[in-house]
Amino acid sequence: PAAGASSEVGAGSKVAAAARAAGMDAQALDALLAEHAATAAVQAEAEAAAGEEDLLAGAPPGGNYVTFDDEGNEVDDPTSEALFTALREGDVEEAYELAQARDASPEHGDNTMAFQAAMEQWIKENPEQVAQFEAERPGGGSFANVRGIDLDDLDLDADDREFGDLDDDESDGEGGALEGADGAVPARPVRPPRAVVCARCYSLTHRNQLRGEGADESQMPGFAFTRVLGGKFRTAYEFRRLVALLVVDAVDFDGSFPTEAADLLAAVAREREAKVRYDSGGENTQSGASRRAPPISICVAANKADLLPTQATRMRLSNWVRERCVELGLPRPTSVHMVSAKTDVGVRDLLGDLEKKVGERGDVWILGAQNAGKSSLINSLRRQRAKIDGPGSEAAMAAPVTEAHVPGTTIGVVRLPGVLKSGRLYDTPGLEHSHSLSLRLGPDAVKALMPNGRLRPRTWRMAAGQTLLLGGVVRVEVVESAASGGGAVYLTAWLSGEVPCHMSKTERAIEIFEKDRGSELWPPLTPEAAEELGELVPTDVVVEGDNWMHPQTDVSVAGLGWVAVGIKGRATLRVWAPQGAAVTTRSPALVADTAERWERPGRSVLIKKGTKASKKGRAGSGKRHKKRA
């Protein structure tokens, strides 16, 4: 209803009544209602008329019920008005139909909390009407299903609970519940309650953006990762097990590697090792061996592993991830898991490994960079726990955490109950990577860069004086080559097949880049976004190898993908990327293979039917020819 926030949240106000019904803090609901208030005049009239009355009775005669459109503008909400009118008049049949219609309408998401509070209050105060309606309704039906309300919390009598929720072919023809052979009423299926989310999470989930056009969280204080967690890791785990779960993106490994977390874990591990040596053999052995802190268990989960090509076997990837982590400063991981939060592949094994490491007394901390897939992995872990514990378990009934392509979805430390059978699990805010392209591109562009399926390679045979364009964000120029075979350099691009690439002589490539950037060459998605991205800056890279067909070095661009270099000799590449975007080299290559067919000069786009690229009309594909034996 169009009821704004009161200047004071009194114990008898309708805001407090709604808060009690929803199990919320009255101040929190008051703040939420303030965002969706109609006018001060309507609010004053409602407060004066309501007194000790509830939300339903407190709606002013003739007052408007409001909701919000996609642009955040207030619009009339006649469905809600008719619904509450039906409830006040006791027309349960009409109210149920209107509630279903309202629930199916997506534009009612922003004022869901106030709506659910009123629904719960009405159901509590009218249990006989609810039970009678649901018992007599042919085919079943439940107000609980409309808003995800758990009737077990509504203190109904046992007689009021015996109503069916059956399909038409299971009804006994009288509208009642179908009885079994022993006369017992079958148990209702356990359904997880529909979560009530804040406007921020709703907007992130459904609109892939922060709430409102002008929403800006840049003024919010950042999470002091090293100070907060560093102090806890050093002092709170003298007698508890500490398990660090590092989540990285297997497709963008270097760009998603949590360097700050790795540095902190390395420092804490060194301090613990030094303390053990001192307690064991130093002069002051007062603390003794009994005070030796257990070692830190470091588990690495490479998410989105299902997007890597089939040539990258699980064993090969695990060994590569382990070695790369050590190169980037992380203490050697105790275990590495290749997982997919989307398909749940490998997540059951990860869950078992975490429970084994954490024991009865221990904590698991999930660490990772922004957009590495931590939230998705948490939901996947919960699904696996729910499968083990069954319906009705804490994991099955818990609401999923918010997932979005917008960096910084999680803004504080969150404890996650019900996932581990023992120990505690904590989620932490994603670490910001200022060197990633994802911070320079908009959410839509970041989402478009996500592959729809396994990565497919594109390989070009190039020589000095030629340039490869990767969308409108990166240029790879072969400056000079001392390789055998006429100076041939084989570049294999591993990135979303929908991103258009172009290979030609450097002068021509620069002309095409300037002309088509932000349109035919994307990301960025628009010329305006390309202008905001700014000019590219060069990074010279020297590569060496002894095999054309099996690349030994990767050139990675954080947030985009990587280019594998196959060469027999030595060459210098000049990689042009936006200012601040990290360009790194790594050896050995993640995937030491090239494409079965090479690309020819010109435009190249790998398109599958029904992908984002085809929907955007970004068609066009370069010709290919078979590689030489």
Side-chain angles (χ1 to χ4, degrees):
S6 58
S7 58
E8 296 182 2
V9 184
S13 70
K14 62 182 173 44
V15 173
R20 287 194 300 270
M24 295 176 52
D25 178 71
Q27 295 288 348
L29 181 57
D30 189 60
L32 178 70
L33 290 175
E35 296 181 327
H36 307 312
T39 61
V42 172
Q43 166 60 22
E45 181 181 356
E47 289 290 344
E52 297 294 327
E53 299 179 7
D54 57 27
L55 269 170
L56 299 177
N64 292 329
Y65 293 81
V66 297
T67 186
F68 299 85
D69 60 20
D70 290 339
E71 297 178 356
N73 303 314
E74 279 189 3
V75 294
D76 289 340
D77 186 5
T79 304
S80 292
E81 182 173 6
L83 167 62
F84 285 106
T85 299
L87 289 176
R88 284 195 297 270
E89 295 176 354
D91 189 347
V92 186
E93 179 81 21
E94 177 69 12
Y96 179 77
E97 299 295 341
L98 288 169
Q100 282 191 315
R102 187 190 189 286
D103 187 50
S105 182
E107 64 267 16
H108 294 101
D110 284 332
N111 57 355
T112 294
M113 192 171 293
F115 172 80
Q116 180 163 337
M119 283 291 294
E120 288 187 16
Q121 182 178 332
W122 185 85
I123 291 174
K124 284 183 178 180
E125 296 177 355
N126 300 273
E128 295 181 359
Q129 286 180 277
V130 172
Q132 181 180 358
F133 166 74
E134 296 186 346
E136 296 177 353
R137 182 175 176 81
S142 171
F143 269 99
N145 296 339
V146 176
R147 292 306 325 174
I149 303 166
D150 188 355
L151 291 180
D152 289 337
D153 296 333
L154 301 185
D155 298 326
L156 301 182
D157 294 332
D159 293 339
D160 295 330
R161 298 174 182 271
E162 293 184 4
F163 51 82
D165 189 12
L166 310 172
D167 296 330
D168 290 341
D169 59 350
E170 294 177 329
S171 176
D172 61 2
E174 299 291 333
L178 181 65
E179 296 183 354
D182 56 357
V185 178
R188 290 172 55 82
V190 179
R191 296 184 177 88
R194 181 171 298 179
V196 179
V197 299
C198 65
R200 180 182 186 271
C201 288
Y202 179 87
S203 185
L204 285 170
T205 302
H206 297 282
R207 299 169 186 165
N208 201 39
Q209 64 182 19
L210 294 175
R211 184 174 178 272
E213 286 291 330
D216 181 13
E217 296 186 357
S218 61
Q219 302 304 315
M220 293 178 61
F223 179 70
F225 179 87
T226 302
R227 178 178 61 82
V228 175
L229 295 188
K232 181 172 285 293
F233 288 175
R234 288 181 171 92
T235 61
Y237 291 97
E238 284 287 331
F239 303 103
R240 293 182 66 87
R241 293 186 181 183
L242 171 59
V243 180
L245 173 59
L246 267 69
V247 181
V248 294
D249 185 342
V251 176
D252 184 25
F253 190 91
D254 287 22
S256 65
F257 186 80
T259 306
E260 188 175 356
D263 293 342
L264 173 61
L265 292 174
V268 175
R270 286 195 299 269
E271 293 172 9
R272 289 195 174 201
E273 184 179 354
K275 183 180 184 305
V276 168
R277 287 200 300 266
Y278 179 74
D279 287 346
S280 299
E283 296 180 2
N284 182 6
T285 58
Q286 185 176 13
S287 57
S290 63
R291 288 192 56 81
R292 296 180 193 174
I296 301 176
S297 295
I298 300 177
C299 180
V300 177
N303 192 20
K304 308 175 188 177
D306 58 318
L307 299 179
L308 294 177
T310 55
Q311 300 98 309
T313 62
R314 186 173 298 272
M315 181 64 69
R316 178 176 171 181
L317 286 173
S318 297
N319 292 335
W320 186 93
V321 168
R322 198 181 300 272
E323 295 301 322
R324 188 61 180 162
C325 285
V326 174
E327 291 175 4
L328 294 175
L330 181 72
R332 182 168 290 276
T334 53
S335 61
V336 173
H337 293 266
M338 310 305 298
V339 301
S340 169
K342 182 178 180 180
T343 63
D344 293 343
V345 172
V347 178
R348 178 71 67 93
D349 292 339
L350 171 62
L351 179 61
D353 187 32
L354 292 176
E355 292 177 337
K356 180 179 178 181
K357 285 180 169 61
V358 76
E360 293 297 328
R361 287 177 51 83
D363 297 336
V364 176
W365 291 82
I366 302 179
L367 314 173
Q370 295 175 347
N371 277 14
K374 292 193 295 90
S375 298
S376 301
L377 183 59
I378 290 169
N379 287 332
S380 182
L381 287 168
R382 266 197 177 135
R383 288 194 295 270
Q384 294 305 310
R385 170 52 58 192
K387 289 180 181 178
I388 296 172
D389 295 346
S393 62
E394 186 176 9
M397 304 301 287
V401 298
T402 301
E403 302 176 23
H405 294 283
V406 179
T409 301
T410 306
I411 57 178
V413 175
V414 181
R415 184 177 177 185
L416 305 167
V419 180
L420 301 177
K421 64 182 180 181
S422 60
R424 299 177 298 193
L425 179 66
Y426 293 94
D427 185 21
T428 60
L431 296 171
E432 182 177 310
H433 272 197
S434 59
H435 57 263
S436 177
L437 278 176
S438 61
L439 293 181
R440 293 161 175 78
L441 302 172
D444 292 337
V446 173
K447 185 177 181 180
L449 282 175
M450 290 296 298
N452 277 345
R454 288 190 183 275
L455 292 180
R456 296 164 57 193
R458 282 176 277 181
T459 301
W460 291 265
R461 184 183 189 274
M462 300 177 61
Q466 292 183 323
T467 292
L468 173 63
L469 306 179
L470 304 178
V473 288
V474 173
R475 302 201 313 258
V476 182
E477 175 185 350
V478 181
V479 178
E480 59 183 21
S481 174
S484 59
V489 179
Y490 294 85
L491 300 185
T492 301
W494 294 95
L495 66 162
S496 173
E498 299 163 12
V499 175
C501 299
H502 178 94
M503 193 278 281
S504 63
K505 291 184 177 180
T506 299
E507 297 80 4
R508 176 60 177 161
I510 294 176
E511 293 178 7
I512 293 175
F513 185 83
E514 296 296 336
K515 178 174 66 75
D516 294 341
R517 189 186 188 196
S519 55
E520 295 300 318
L521 290 175
W522 65 274
L525 300 180
T526 64
E528 293 76 18
E531 187 174 349
E532 292 179 4
L533 195 59
E535 297 295 326
L536 308 185
V537 296
T539 300
D540 286 354
V541 176
V542 177
V543 293
E544 296 180 349
D546 58 10
N547 195 308
W548 288 313
M549 296 299 98
H550 296 288
Q552 296 171 303
T553 303
D554 289 338
V555 179
S556 173
V557 180
L560 178 66
W562 75 94
V563 174
V565 184
I567 188 173
K568 207 168 186 178
R570 179 188 178 96
T572 300
L573 307 180
R574 182 163 294 155
V575 183
W576 297 78
Q579 178 74 41
V583 177
T584 59
T585 59
R586 59 197 190 196
S587 182
L590 177 59
V591 183
D593 292 291
T594 60
E596 292 185 1
R597 294 177 177 271
W598 298 337
E599 305 288 325
R600 290 186 177 181
R603 190 69 53 85
S604 168
V605 178
L606 298 178
I607 296 180
K608 287 185 177 181
K609 185 177 180 181
T611 60
K612 297 188 293 288
S614 61
K615 292 177 182 178
K616 293 177 181 176
R618 304 184 187 277
S621 178
K623 296 180 180 179
R624 302 176 180 83
H625 59 86
K626 286 188 176 181
K627 64 184 179 182
R628 300 172 188 170

